[in-house]
Amino acid sequence: MPTTATSGKHLVLVHGLCHGAWSWYKVMTHLRSTGHRVSAVDLGGSGVHPSRLEEIATFADYIRPLLQFLQSLSTDERVVLVGHSFGGLAISMAMEKFPHIVSVGVFVTAYMPNCNNPPIVQMTQYFKNLTPEMYMDCRFTFRNGLPASTELGASYLGTMMYRNCQPEDLALANTLIRPSWFFLEDMSKDSLLTKDKYGSISRVYVVCEGDDVMDEKFQRFIIEDSPPNEVKSFPGAGHMIMLSKSKDISLYLQEIATRYP
């Protein structure tokens, strides 16, 4: 939920696959302490959102809480949308829907689609780079030979995703992680994003070095496939930069909020 602070910009933080608003707790604390208004949203069936996985049929269902939140804001408000990992797809659709209130989109080791190809192009490239060993103890369901949903395993979380984080952050994740859909069918549709809306908004990409989930080579592919206005790299961040380098990413988000009014 937003703070009552009246100074600073409004930053809206969106989590990655299987996570929730809780994953931003350190960044929210840092940003609020400097007077910024900060909100973190649980997407459908994620975090403490009441819907179960089987009740989230489409990507529209998944991102509805984010769109409803943005719809609730005053018409003269401007937000910095921040999406982590799979959350890059969520903020992309939100930018398309609400281009008049988004001042900049920040993609943190995230998918960042372009206006020419459906998002599944980037997603397919990601899956091509995976080897069976990288899945570890994650559990998947499949449709038509393609992954439909995933539930992240404890070994995967500790070895791949939270390797750069404190033990208590991993313990929190093991308590709150929930299964999620990939929504590949929805992501294969053309004309989801347009140059007049999504394409008109400034975009910043945050490269997380040492990321074992979305490795730097793939992040650089995303940047080349959909060039942003700005790129910033964080050495040794790993995948969960909001936990491993919470102060560093918070300071950068403050800078972005200032430079993209």
Side-chain angles (χ1 to χ4, degrees), residues 84-85 108-110 126 134 156 159-164 205-219 234-241:
H84 175 245
S85 194
V108 182
T109 187
Y126 176 76
M134 296 175 69
Y156 177 86
T159 303
M160 299 285 288
M161 190 167 278
Y162 282 75
R163 182 171 58 83
N164 301 65
Y205 199 91
V206 173
V207 174
C208 293
E209 299 178 21
D211 187 344
D212 294 320
V213 177
M214 299 183 80
D215 64 30
E216 189 173 348
K217 181 179 179 181
F218 180 72
Q219 293 177 64
F234 286 85
H239 191 65
M240 302 300 295
I241 186 175

Side-chain angles (χ1 to χ4, degrees), residues 17-73:
L17 199 70
C18 300
H19 284 67
W22 57 265
S23 61
W24 293 102
Y25 79 97
K26 291 183 179 180
V27 171
M28 292 175 73
T29 302
H30 293 314
L31 291 174
R32 287 175 174 173
S33 70
T34 59
H36 286 80
R37 190 179 181 204
V38 189
S39 303
V41 179
D42 280 317
L43 300 178
S46 305
V48 298
H49 189 273
S51 295
R52 300 187 303 274
L53 180 67
E54 56 270 23
E55 297 173 319
I56 307 298
T58 65
F59 193 71
D61 294 334
Y62 181 63
I63 65 172
R64 183 168 292 117
L66 173 61
L67 300 186
Q68 289 175 337
F69 175 77
L70 295 175
Q71 180 71 48
S72 72
L73 300 179

